[in-house]
Amino acid sequence: MIGKSVPRVDAYEKVTGRAKFTDDMILDKCLVAKVCHATIGNGIVKSIDTSEAEALDGVVKVVTFKDVPNHCYPTPGHPWSVELAHQDVADRNLLTGRVRYYGDDIAAVVAEDEVTASRALKLIKVEYEEYPVVLSPRLSMRGSEHPIHLDKKDNILARSSFAIGDVDKGLEDAAVQIHRSYKTPIVQHCHIENNISYAYMEKGRIVVVSSTQIPHIVRRVVGQALGIPWGQVRVIKPYVGGGFGNKQEVLYEPLNAFLTMQVGGRPVKIELTREETFTNTRTRHSIEYEMTAGVDQEGHLLAKEMITYSNQGAYASHGHAIAANGLTASRLQYACPNIRGEAYTVYTNCPTAGAMRGYGIPQVCYATESFMDDIAYEIGMDPLEFRRKNLIHGYYEDAYLKPIAANSNGIFECLDKGAAYIHWDEKRKAYADQTGDIRRGVGMALFSYKTGVWPISLEIAGARLSLNQDGSVQLQVGATEIGQGADTVFSQMAAETLHMDISRVHIVTMQDTDVTPFDTGAYASRQSFVTGTAVKECAQLLKQRILDYARTLVPGNVDRLELEDGYILADGRQAISLEELAMESYYSLGNSSVLTAEVSRQVKKNTVATGCCFAEVEVDMKLGKIKVLDIVNVHDSGILLNPQLAAMQVHGGMSMGMGCGLSEQLLLDEKTGRPLNGTLLDYKLMTTMDTPDLTAEFVELNDPMGPYGNKALGEPPAIPGAPAIRNAVLHATGIGFAEIPLTPQRLIDGFTKAGLI
Amino acid sequence: MIGKSVPRVDAYEKVTGRAKFTDDMILDKCLVAKVCHATIGNGIVKSIDTSEAEALDGVVKVVTFKDVPNHCYPTPGHPWSVELAHQDVADRNLLTGRVRYYGDDIAAVVAEDEVTASRALKLIKVEYEEYPVVLSPRLSMRGSEHPIHLDKKDNILARSSFAIGDVDKGLEDAAVQIHRSYKTPIVQHCHIENNISYAYMEKGRIVVVSSTQIPHIVRRVVGQALGIPWGQVRVIKPYVGGGFGNKQEVLYEPLNAFLTMQVGGRPVKIELTREETFTNTRTRHSIEYEMTAGVDQEGHLLAKEMITYSNQGAYASHGHAIAANGLTASRLQYACPNIRGEAYTVYTNCPTAGAMRGYGIPQVCYATESFMDDIAYEIGMDPLEFRRKNLIHGYYEDAYLKPIAANSNGIFECLDKGAAYIHWDEKRKAYADQTGDIRRGVGMALFSYKTGVWPISLEIAGARLSLNQDGSVQLQVGATEIGQGADTVFSQMAAETLHMDISRVHIVTMQDTDVTPFDTGAYASRQSFVTGTAVKECAQLLKQRILDYARTLVPGNVDRLELEDGYILADGRQAISLEELAMESYYSLGNSSVLTAEVSRQVKKNTVATGCCFAEVEVDMKLGKIKVLDIVNVHDSGILLNPQLAAMQVHGGMSMGMGCGLSEQLLLDEKTGRPLNGTLLDYKLMTTMDTPDLTAEFVELNDPMGPYGNKALGEPPAIPGAPAIRNAVLHATGIGFAEIPLTPQRLIDGFTKAGLI
């Protein structure tokens, strides 16, 4: 079943609209909560008067920052750890009187219906004392009179650095030394389903139903935020309408849990609007890079340095992990004897940045791959040739985080495929030295991406299988289907190892922390690798139990029992069907015992996926418009579990990468920090009209670490698109832009400055 | 935690009305199905015209008996077996054109709402050919021109018999030989929540949410009825508002599943009315007995014979198992060298009889214990002394079904307690030789009851535990809470074996066959015994895993590790808390693995519970009214898991027993078989106004078979009340009534015939 493009197991439910998402599951008489957001970007609440709101008919409860537990909790969807150094930063209460960004949560209203809740919000009277707003990390780290968080006087959440070899010496020895700056924008995930949850109490415990990627982590964080034992919390995850990392964070679930407790356990719903999703959830980090490199005469990298300033926004969220992930990536893939990296993650008064598909790698890939093209341009070398010269062949491993290694490395095959597809050599030549208003170019970028979070964080996954009476199996995992096809590939895995058709595997889609095996959830492109390992072991265990039970049923002396296509083979002959065996296991008066298997497995391995993007663009110099004529992603993600699903993953990621490169950016008012385009009307997400045909190609190397030869594919597709397009524009126009997205304004400014228009 | 009267774990939910029952869980836009019931008691449907019903606005689908799969399926909630001899009788389709009782299901309507469905029913035109109705088993077994089921020409569903010793010789040798006839009525369970289910399709599978005692069996029977693989069916059981055995049968769930398939998988609900619950679900079997016995000079039983005619009604349902259970009971408890039994289960045109609390034993107890009093009356012996003389002391076992045995036997202690409570000796003397209009009497009855169904059927149970981060545990069982307190005692069991407070055990109330361990469900007073065995083993397994993991955490050389009160004790000292250990198991970077345990256990044991009822009554001779002045049940059910819950069980059962003895009977029109009093207005269920204070007492012997020394308690309380009251009336009036309930009409008739009034 592995490697086959079987249809998604949830296809019919989703196409017919029957799949139950969080809002579909709410029973009657659910109260509605709305959050009162600050209307300043930095400062404190001097006074808050909720009396008029409380007096409004239909308002059940109003709470302010004064009413919530006064202890901090962490929000990111990390696995947690018993070691303090591996725990996340806890820097927020449920509500706050210290406003750290425009829209910060200062109060909440619970009402009988949504209209009443919204009206009540307007009746809350707030007086503020305002502080100056700082949106730039490099400005913010100079410090301010009122640090954003008291324990970080210089507003620096964290810094880290590393050095390999002697970079200064390397730069000295270099034939050419180059320095460039790059910057990426704040972008938003724009999942179809806004963040939503509802909560109620049951047997003295709190139940939270949430559109989340990480139900087991939500359970933990709700416990932490409320200061109650984690076993008192139950979290249920229905179908999810996209997450992209924004639902790998515990945002309003703790407040929701708190609110139901405040109204005696009645069900309370918090459904964010699209505007709130833009402002009050999480964004991709805007990161600034200072890059320096030296190359020798032949174009070999002798030294490189990267200094990173990551704009964290108002709260720690995933914090420095994003910038640190970029530092790690900067050490991989390219051979360079001297490498230095330094990263700062800085609190600002921007909306909080968190996890988003690629987790810092789209940003660092943008900087690194733009820089690679800029160096090649500088030394007059074909940028693909320049990369081939510097890329490591075959195995490599990270110098610091030992298990992170390219256990299979198909980057050269990827580059060959991409170059052939785009007709690299012809077009690089054909498009050289263009003039005129319309110019074309081809560009490319490549990346590497690790699979899962080990050894930086814990990797653990669980799976449970049980044999039904008809020889089919129930499969339960704590890992989550969030639209990416996880349920389908887990079902394929179980079917593969149990040698049965996928129609015989019934996967339980809904996670419920009361009954679901423990797994940390959907992030870091980990599930098919980490959870896949657990599913495989669980299936092997069930298979062994089936064969052990078969031995009690198959007569005679049999050497070898096998499970194949729903039959037990005894020395190669069909001895008994799996259905007959299952019926015996349930209903034999002599020897019945239902066959089940469960594993909870720590996975201490990692492997690096790789790939590249090649794009051809047409630039209208006077309109400042880029048209992507053709674009291809080529991925080495090991063996494809389901080629069609894999292609769909790549298509979605490519669209995201193009958006980041061409049009997406959340703009903030410089003075107040207020989002200027926090709606889907104003925020320029790629539409089908903006998107050319997308091509996904693959190099399938069997990775020895992957449970089925597979490695990361969930996030990588979103990584290389933006720099590939940026580099194609460089090829077309000779202008290497430092900052994305490449909006018409930015292009016109750049071309004007360069005297091209 | 065992033996403590901890509050029910579901008390708060149920008292506040928050507990979700089936109807509470239905989401919007559920279609409503109504069943078209026959308006004759025996015959065939000659023609059926649904065109007008189909044309009604809002009707989505009409199906008749012509549209349903033409294969039969069994309905009772038995465990099933791979052995043909242990499988249930399959004698019905989803709908039928052969009407076998008044109200038989011939068609069904699916509509957008209930009113439309009801209106559509009235538009269905049916023409019948009527056959004579036969309501008496002894008449029916003479055969008829149109047998109720074609394969049973004599209408006898089954017969069985046994003989121990030589009964004829024993009777010959007896000093006194006595013969009597007895008869019990058709009664209904009258659970608060009528039968209800709804069904829909999901990923090509059928989901049925049902108020059932036996979700895993519903899964199987839906598969059988529809002829689809059982793994294609998912059954969910929410809270249940009482079952008493009526929900130990698969009634309308298969039709509901079929109907959702007919409307493309849209949700369809079938909610029976109270009237349908009376007529179309299941009743307690009305059984007629012919009893013969011989006793010697000293009052020892020398021989006894019991011939049983069980009125099965229209369909096999649990069938002969009820009468056969009575045969088994007739062999137990009393010492008698020569015993003979014979039983017939006969199809009639009555509503179908099935499982009901006590499963045939209230009936046989009524006959046997009335007979014991009648013999004692005949030979002029105190009926309690007569019983003491004939009861077996200590261990006994059944002659045929070997593992059925009184492994502990507290009947003599029970009798002592009951006699002392009611002041037996004084009152037997005081109430002798009364005259006048108001007379008093004391009476008693005793019984034995096996625990679970082994070895007659399969006993299998499953349990799953997992350790939460805070050291609490999740407990999952496939056994069901149906109001009896099962969830509470399972939680106590896990807490006991894991040596923690019950507040640390979070039991999953809802059963979902996709994720719930396999267990056959709530019946036969089996769960605390059979499932309890699985819960105990599962808790022992988890405990062992906790201690094994503790060994990796506790430093130094430790001989003995124990789990006590949430701590690991190393050689008696608190070494680490269970919470710390649990946190390590989840979040240790070095060695994390969530600790879980699951067992699926066949339980090949049985043990006999016993007990008695003593009652004092006042009879108004002219009004024919019985007033129960005082009543006590004394039970030997082994160690009480939760004394308060046990007392509640006994109170409920006593009320049921009194109802059966005094007022309850479903009356049928002799000509058509139509129920005459099938509503709660006309059917005389005991109300609080009819019920005196109820006293429950216990003799707690530690039964060696019970997982915690416990044995059957769920059903026994309903058994001895009716004969105890009947015998008290005998004491008061000298009249030994043959038939219950003892309605005013029956009393006046009896007293008149005896010349007392």
Side-chain angles (χ1 to χ4, degrees), chain B residues 12-63:
Chain B
Y12 184 83
E13 303 305 295
K14 287 183 171 169
V15 167
T16 57
R18 279 196 189 148
K20 295 262 178 296
F21 294 79
T22 300
D23 200 37
D24 298 319
M25 295 184 59
I26 298 179
L27 293 167
D28 291 346
K29 297 183 188 160
C30 188
L31 300 173
V32 175
K34 288 268 175 196
V35 177
C36 179
H37 300 292
T39 54
I40 63 166
N42 195 11
I44 58 169
V45 176
K46 281 206 304 192
S47 73
I48 184 162
D49 178 0
T50 60
S51 54
E52 277 188 49
E54 277 161 19
L56 184 67
D57 199 37
V59 168
V60 178
K61 186 84 187 176
V62 180
V63 297

Side-chain angles (χ1 to χ4, degrees), chain A residues 13 18 203 264 589-590 604, chain B residues 13 18 203 264 590 602 604:
Chain A
E13 303 305 296
R18 279 197 189 149
K203 295 200 258 187
L589 281 174
K604 295 180 177 180
Chain B
E13 303 305 295
R18 279 196 189 148
K203 295 199 258 187
Q602 186 173 9
K604 295 180 176 178

Side-chain angles (χ1 to χ4, degrees), chain A residues 13 18 20 79 203 219 229 231 264 458 464 468 470 474 506 509 586-587 589-590 592-594 600 602 604, chain B residues 13 18 27 79 203 219 229 231-232 264 458 464 468 470 474 509 586-587 589-590 592-594 600 602 604:
Chain A
E13 303 305 296
R18 279 197 189 149
K20 295 263 178 294
K203 295 200 258 187
R219 180 187 214 185
L458 173 67
R464 188 185 294 143
N468 287 326
D470 60 358
Q474 297 298 136
H506 307 303
T509 281
Y586 275 80
Y587 301 119
L589 281 174
S592 57
S593 175
V594 176
S600 172
Q602 186 173 10
K604 295 180 177 180
Chain B
E13 303 305 295
R18 279 196 189 148
L27 293 167
K203 295 199 258 187
R219 180 187 213 184
Q232 292 296 110
L458 173 66
R464 189 185 293 142
N468 287 326
D470 60 358
Q474 298 299 135
T509 282
Y586 275 79
Y587 301 119
L589 281 173
S592 56
S593 176
V594 176
S600 173
Q602 186 173 9
K604 295 180 176 178

